[in-house]
Amino acid sequence: MRKVYITGFGQTRVQEHWGRSARDLATSSILEALERAEVEGADALYVGNALGGELTGQEHIAALIADFAGLTGTEAVRVEAAGGSGGAAVRLGYIAVASGLQNVVIVTGVEKMSDLAGPAVEEALATSADEEYEGVQGLSPVGLSALLMRRYMHEYDCERRDFAPFSVNSHQNAVNNEYAMFRRPITVEAFEKARLVADPISLLDSAPAADGAATVVLCSEQVVGTRKRATVEIVGSASATDSVALHDRGNPLFLHAAHESVQGAYAQAGVAPEQIDLFEPHDAFAILSALSLEACGFASEGQGVRLAMEGEIGLGGSIPICTMGGLKGRGYPVGAAGVYQIIEVCQQLLGEAGANQVDAWVGMTQSLGGTGATAVTHILKGPR
Amino acid sequence: MMKPLRDVGIVGYGAYVPRYRITAEEISRVWKMGEDNLQLEEKAVPGLDEDTTTIAIEAARNALRKAGLDPDKLSAIWLGSESKPYSVKPTATIVAEAVGATPHTSAADWEFACKAGTEAMQAAIGFVGSGMAEYAMAIGADTAQGRPGDQLEYTAGAGGAAFIVGPKEESMAYLEGSFSYVSDTPDFFRRPGQQYPTHGNRFTGEPAYFTHTMMAVQQLMGDLGYDPDDYDRVVFHQPNSKFPKRVAQRLGFVEDQYRDGLLVPFIGNAYAASAALGLAAVLDKADPGERVLLASFGSGAGSDAFSFVTTERITRGRNPLPSVRDYVNRRREIDYARYARQRGKLVMY
């Protein structure tokens, strides 16, 4: 298996881009990434996109984006795994280069969500659940996550406000990220007072649906050899699944897919949790951050929330998370989120994270689909 | 900037607000939404026997009294509303008949969401300003709808305001110029047969309300060569209490300039009557020689901005005619159950 490097990346700011379409956003990020990677084209384009058909009526989006990005003729395919689409697309690109079949691939995550009003977006998001058992009952991602959070609070004796540090941390880190949607801090008091969306989840522990596109360029060692710019290596890549329906899981508070994928990535990279300098989890809801921290071995079961309360997830903590704002602060363009995570870890490993810079050599991302039925984990190593 | 060949002004105006009120607290009791929705104190609710027609008639009668005008001198009665009792059949003809303006008059309903009333005013200015008519009446009146549980439940209010446009020499406030700014921006709409409107959340803000209102106002003020402090009073469309304050601040106005025209905390968003009622409230208090800016906003989307200057006649008829504040202060609180009955929200499928 060959080594795989990230030689370029580009991203649009996450926000409600009322005047821009998915193809437009995607093209911006691709052109920026290609310029940085100093390549003009690629062997393939893998597009992470979760809801293009549901939200904009546009399927077949990979060929469309290839065409508009000036890559007409290039192999292009869309990868869909709900919220894990971006991570899954990166993994597909990784497999393509590592296998030796392709030398340069472009991985783009894109989601255009602001064309429809709130209820229609929620309906589309709900397609990530088990339609016949969950969706039909009216359960959407926020409802399912609320069930998880309620159970967590019951099992581990904590309160709603104990989850506040996750959102406070994300918003604080988003302040210095020019690509973030919410560049303003929030307080614990604001978190406590925020309007409930699905009790106990409030507006301030739900990542915002938004528009955005992010692109990374993956290259083989042979291509990188001629590049001068410092690059990041993907040293671990693994993906796993769990039952889609929450009720089919023996212990819903343990994310088995997240655990399986992280174990695969650790084994491949030859690292342990203690050697991970920063972690970008799938913080669509604060409860998912807590469960990811536990599944990945940063905290034991029931201790993820405590870890946040003790300040260990901050930029100076033992395991900084959401260092550029995470899904909560940077924003959550569903199928693009996993690619934004990869870029943010690259920024940290290359010393380009500005005021949010952490001392990092090894960073990890985890992209989840649904309530963790899909989990894709990547471990990246910087040039140091 | 738009200005008719012949100078015109407002020769009379009148308002009406239904007496019933439901408080934001009461709505929040039922729907259990958080405190961030409680930016309004309460909103006006029409009674069981009130609708856009009756509200418009009350406002039109007050305007005629204020002007001291014989109703058959009106050459137009134009009503802007998004809650017309009939889909097909003009409401304006009922108003015209009721106030005694028929049959030698023009009458029609206007549709442009919340700016239908000021669009009617633009037309009335043109009608009189061209010499086709001596007097024309423009009315904005609404009994706005909000889906139960929707954010609009807190704001969708009711009310009406009527303005008689006539020669400048007879006016209480003469027109300096106006400006209209529109684009196809679908921030809020209701399709035929739908009972309640659809809105685009934040999309109703920046690209819709703020862009259109600011463009209309800035271009009008630019053409007239005025700065914010040239105005004594300013009135904006009031879909909630945040937007009009924010747009005023962004345009460089201060609270002293917009306070008297800000009615939304007490009556809600009266849609086509929202900015129009604000203007009426401001004229109620203005002294002669004051410069007044009015800027409406209608979803879909557009804004009409007008610059008026009050004359010596502005204080005419202040007593005994009821002021906008009199109507605002005349209140009877109802609970959500009565509100649901009065607004026809009790529908079983």
Side-chain angles (χ1 to χ4, degrees), chain B residues 276-292:
Chain B
L277 273 169
L279 176 63
V282 153
L283 295 180
D284 280 345
K285 291 204 166 184
D287 291 321
E290 290 193 5
R291 180 167 287 121
V292 178

Side-chain angles (χ1 to χ4, degrees), chain A:
Chain A
M1 210 162 61
R2 304 195 301 173
K3 290 186 171 188
V4 180
Y5 296 87
I6 300 170
T7 55
F9 50 82
Q11 56 185 323
T12 67
R13 183 173 177 188
V14 177
Q15 62 184 83
E16 288 168 324
H17 287 282
W18 292 307
R20 301 184 70 184
S21 62
R23 76 180 78 179
D24 180 15
L25 295 166
T27 298
S28 291
S29 71
I30 289 171
L31 295 180
E32 190 186 328
L34 289 177
E35 188 178 341
R36 181 171 173 132
E38 297 175 17
V39 293
E40 306 219 324
D43 300 320
L45 167 68
Y46 298 101
V47 177
N49 175 257
L51 299 165
E54 290 279 335
L55 292 177
T56 64
Q58 180 67 61
E59 304 285 14
H60 207 178
I61 196 169
L64 186 84
I65 290 170
D67 189 21
F68 276 79
L71 302 167
T72 317
T74 307
E75 173 181 349
V77 65
R78 168 190 172 192
V79 181
E80 192 277 307
S85 299
V90 172
R91 173 152 171 81
L92 204 61
Y94 171 82
I95 291 171
V97 176
S99 69
L101 273 177
Q102 294 173 334
N103 282 315
V104 181
V105 306
I106 300 167
V107 180
T108 297
V110 61
E111 207 68 61
K112 171 69 191 175
M113 309 188 72
S114 66
D115 273 358
L116 294 179
V121 173
E122 197 59 27
E123 203 176 320
L125 288 167
T127 60
S128 67
D130 184 326
E131 174 55 24
E132 288 184 13
Y133 290 96
E134 296 176 326
V136 75
Q137 309 291 342
L139 273 166
S140 64
V142 62
L144 289 160
S145 298
L147 291 175
L148 284 175
M149 183 167 163
R150 175 67 72 195
R151 188 72 196 168
Y152 191 99
M153 287 159 61
H154 171 79
E155 289 289 332
Y156 302 124
D157 192 28
C158 54
E159 299 171 28
R160 198 169 83 78
R161 67 167 289 156
D162 297 339
F163 288 81
F166 288 109
S167 299
V168 170
N169 176 62
S170 293
H171 272 257
Q172 185 57 48
N173 292 343
V175 169
N176 296 316
N177 179 3
E178 62 179 305
Y179 299 103
M181 181 161 178
F182 293 140
R183 301 189 64 186
R184 56 176 187 267
I186 61 164
T187 61
V188 174
E189 292 68 38
F191 180 91
E192 285 183 284
K193 278 193 193 164
R195 179 150 56 94
L196 288 173
V197 180
D199 193 2
I201 289 179
S202 78
L203 212 53
L204 285 186
D205 57 357
S206 311
D211 309 324
T215 295
V216 293
V217 177
L218 309 184
C219 293
S220 63
E221 193 166 20
Q222 154 201 358
V223 177
V224 171
T226 64
R227 307 272 159 247
K228 297 186 185 75
R229 192 186 291 275
T231 54
V232 170
E233 184 186 351
I234 300 180
V235 293
S237 171
S239 184
T241 58
D242 196 352
S243 62
V244 171
L246 273 187
H247 60 251
D248 286 333
R249 299 181 194 169
N251 174 10
L253 293 183
F254 189 76
L255 299 179
H256 286 277
H259 179 73
E260 288 302 313
S261 76
V262 84
Q263 290 305 321
Y266 283 153
Q268 186 188 352
V271 298
E274 304 78 58
Q275 289 159 278
I276 302 295
D277 297 317
L278 76 140
F279 176 39
E280 294 296 333
H282 187 86
D283 59 322
F285 304 101
I287 178 67
L288 292 182
S289 297
L291 296 180
S292 279
L293 285 168
E294 295 170 16
C296 296
F298 298 111
S300 54
E301 285 178 61
Q303 297 300 308
V305 167
R306 305 259 180 278
L307 197 69
M309 289 169 71
E310 286 158 10
E312 298 297 345
I313 61 168
L315 295 175
S318 62
I319 181 65
I321 69 168
C322 305
T323 63
M324 301 303 278
L327 277 56
K328 176 72 195 82
R330 174 240 301 131
Y332 183 28
V334 179
V339 185
Y340 275 97
Q341 291 176 321
I342 296 280
I343 292 176
E344 287 155 1
V345 170
C346 287
Q347 289 175 308
Q348 290 288 3
L349 299 181
L350 295 172
E352 297 180 14
N356 289 3
Q357 187 64 51
V358 299
D359 185 20
W361 184 35
V362 180
M364 185 165 87
T365 66
Q366 188 168 73
S367 190
L368 299 182
T371 43
T374 292
V376 190
T377 306
H378 283 101
I379 297 175
L380 312 183
K381 197 176 270 185
R384 185 175 66 178

Side-chain angles (χ1 to χ4, degrees), chain B residues 35-89:
Chain B
E35 289 168 8
D36 49 337
N37 286 301
L38 302 181
Q39 26 156 329
L40 304 186
E41 288 178 27
E42 57 190 25
K43 67 172 192 174
V45 181
L48 276 172
D49 54 358
E50 289 186 303
D51 63 6
T52 293
T53 321
T54 66
I55 289 170
I57 290 168
E58 294 285 350
R61 284 179 174 155
N62 283 335
L64 284 164
R65 284 188 204 115
K66 180 82 104 180
L69 191 72
D70 190 350
D72 62 13
K73 288 193 174 163
L74 290 173
S75 296
I77 292 199
W78 288 330
L79 169 68
S81 179
E82 62 129 74
S83 42
K84 296 180 281 289
Y86 295 88
S87 293
V88 178
K89 187 208 170 311

Side-chain angles (χ1 to χ4, degrees), chain B residues 85-297:
Chain B
Y86 295 88
S87 293
V88 178
K89 187 208 170 311
T91 307
T93 50
I94 312 175
V95 179
E97 193 80 43
V99 303
T102 50
H104 301 294
T105 186
S106 163
D109 295 354
W110 294 70
E111 203 294 306
F112 197 142
C114 294
K115 93 169 183 84
T118 57
E119 192 73 52
M121 191 185 288
Q122 285 285 36
I125 288 166
F127 215 35
V128 176
S130 70
M132 282 176 72
E134 200 62 10
Y135 303 99
M137 179 182 278
I139 310 170
D142 257 312
T143 58
Q145 322 88 25
R147 184 185 301 281
D150 192 289
Q151 297 283 320
L152 292 177
E153 277 261 281
Y154 287 92
T155 56
F163 296 85
I164 301 172
V165 177
K168 178 185 180 185
E169 310 79 66
E170 298 171 32
S171 69
M172 313 174 80
Y174 66 85
L175 177 80
E176 293 187 296
S178 66
F179 199 96
S180 289
Y181 183 93
V182 307
S183 74
D184 178 19
T185 302
D187 60 311
F188 172 103
F189 51 85
R190 179 163 64 86
R191 289 200 178 256
Q194 286 183 345
Q195 202 171 356
Y196 298 110
T198 302
H199 57 90
N201 297 317
R202 275 174 300 279
F203 188 68
T204 61
E206 287 305 329
Y209 181 88
F210 291 102
T211 299
H212 292 79
T213 305
M214 292 183 68
M215 291 304 281
V217 169
Q218 284 168 340
Q219 301 211 28
L220 178 65
M221 284 172 54
D223 288 350
L224 287 168
Y226 292 151
D227 292 320
D229 58 8
D230 286 320
Y231 283 93
D232 298 289
R233 297 166 184 279
V234 294
V235 178
F236 297 99
H237 174 53
Q238 302 159 27
N240 53 48
S241 61
K242 282 184 192 164
F243 281 17
K245 288 181 189 169
R246 198 178 300 159
V247 83
Q249 283 155 8
R250 281 199 204 171
L251 286 164
F253 298 107
V254 296
E255 196 182 345
D256 278 348
Q257 290 166 291
Y258 65 74
R259 188 188 299 111
D260 287 341
L262 195 65
L263 304 174
V264 65
F266 318 111
I267 64 168
N269 176 7
Y271 284 51
S274 175
L277 273 169
L279 176 63
V282 153
L283 295 180
D284 280 345
K285 291 204 166 184
D287 291 321
E290 290 193 5
R291 180 167 287 121
V292 178
L293 177 78
L294 166 68
S296 65
F297 169 75

